[in-house]
Amino acid sequence: MTIAQETRYYSPEEYLEFEVNSELRHEYIDGLIIPMTGGTPNHNQITGNFYAVLNFALKRQPYQVFVTDQRLWIPKRRIHTYPDVMIVQTPLVFEEGRNDTITNPVMITEVLSKSTKGYDRDEKFAAYRTIASFQEYILIDQYTIHVEQYVKTDNRKWMFLEYENINDTFNLTSIPGQISLADIYDKVDFTSEAS
């Protein structure tokens, strides 16, 4: 006879108390606390490259760029998560009663891994779309040169663009700026990921 293990659900407050005291990062998805796995060298390189390009492009402008450790609260889906890169127009809007969890990203970028790419494209994107300030979503493949750009064009309308050539550049629409794939993929070693 097998005994079913009962799933424990946590309140957002319980999660935040746990998370603040944890050495590891966890996502919170409607009552469940889910540990986040570490990234590969390519994932970290791409995230760092993208952050550096954006941070430089937006200096002295009313935006802040955050990378990996900034928590985001999505109230309509009851999700706390840590996007790879976020751009937030200032002033920052925080979750009520918090000064460490923001709620108003303009653009979010995720670097895709084999285990999360389906979730990032589907459920996570659907959750992000419930955020009123959210205007642009960038998905970057870490195993091959491929970038997907989703741009909000109207209420509940999104335009999809993709780029696959290292010489491609694309314009950001939520903020002023142009990004080259050569900058995103600088120092990325696809042969190490294949092995």
Side-chain angles (χ1 to χ4, degrees), residues 7 14 16 24 46 55 58 76 95 97 105 132 164 175 177 186:
T7 302
E14 288 174 312
L16 288 167
L24 304 173
I46 291 166
N55 201 41
L58 293 172
K76 288 186 178 177
E95 179 181 2
E164 296 179 319
I175 57 161
D186 184 50

Side-chain angles (χ1 to χ4, degrees), residues 54 98 154 194:
L54 291 172
R98 306 290 307 180
D154 201 354

Side-chain angles (χ1 to χ4, degrees), residues 11-185:
S11 70
E13 296 76 21
E14 288 174 312
Y15 159 77
L16 288 167
E17 184 178 340
F18 170 79
E19 186 70 357
V20 167
N21 296 307
S22 175
E23 292 181 18
L24 304 173
R25 291 183 304 138
H26 302 80
E27 284 189 315
Y28 174 84
I29 302 177
D30 198 19
L32 298 175
I33 295 176
I34 300 160
M36 297 183 69
T37 59
T40 63
N42 276 359
H43 185 286
N44 287 313
Q45 185 67 46
I46 291 166
T47 302
N49 289 347
F50 200 67
Y51 168 79
V53 168
L54 291 172
N55 201 41
F56 183 78
L58 293 172
K59 63 183 179 180
R60 293 184 292 282
Q61 294 192 43
Y63 298 95
Q64 285 186 253
V65 186
F66 295 102
V67 62
T68 64
D69 285 332
Q70 179 57 61
R71 191 168 43 248
L72 169 67
W73 171 237
I74 308 170
K76 288 186 178 177
R77 295 294 174 94
R78 291 176 34 95
I79 293 175
H80 282 103
T81 189
Y82 296 87
D84 289 326
V85 179
M86 268 190 300
I87 296 176
V88 181
Q89 186 165 12
T90 55
L92 303 180
V93 178
F94 293 100
E95 179 181 2
E96 187 175 336
R98 306 290 307 180
N99 64 3
D100 58 358
T101 308
I102 62 165
T103 62
N104 64 320
V106 173
M107 186 183 88
I108 296 174
T109 300
E110 298 287 3
V111 178
L112 301 177
S113 67
K114 289 180 175 138
S115 62
T116 65
K117 66 181 176 181
Y119 174 63
D120 287 341
R121 281 193 181 108
D122 190 15
E123 292 99 340
K124 203 170 203 182
F125 186 26
Y128 289 155
R129 290 194 308 266
T130 68
I131 301 169
S133 61
F134 179 57
Q135 302 292 313
E136 191 164 10
Y137 193 38
I138 308 292
L139 296 174
I140 304 172
D141 196 312
Q142 66 172 302
Y143 307 105
T144 186
I145 295 169
H146 186 250
V147 174
E148 300 172 19
Q149 179 184 28
Y150 298 85
V151 176
K152 188 173 186 178
T153 59
D154 201 354
N155 188 30
R156 296 188 302 177
K157 289 186 181 177
W158 289 77
M159 178 175 60
F160 168 71
L161 302 128
E162 64 184 328
Y163 311 92
E164 296 179 319
N165 186 308
I166 195 67
N167 298 314
D168 284 343
T169 60
F170 62 95
N171 291 313
L172 299 172
T173 62
S174 57
I175 57 161
Q178 187 176 67
I179 305 287
S180 78
L181 270 65
D183 287 341
I184 293 173
Y185 287 104

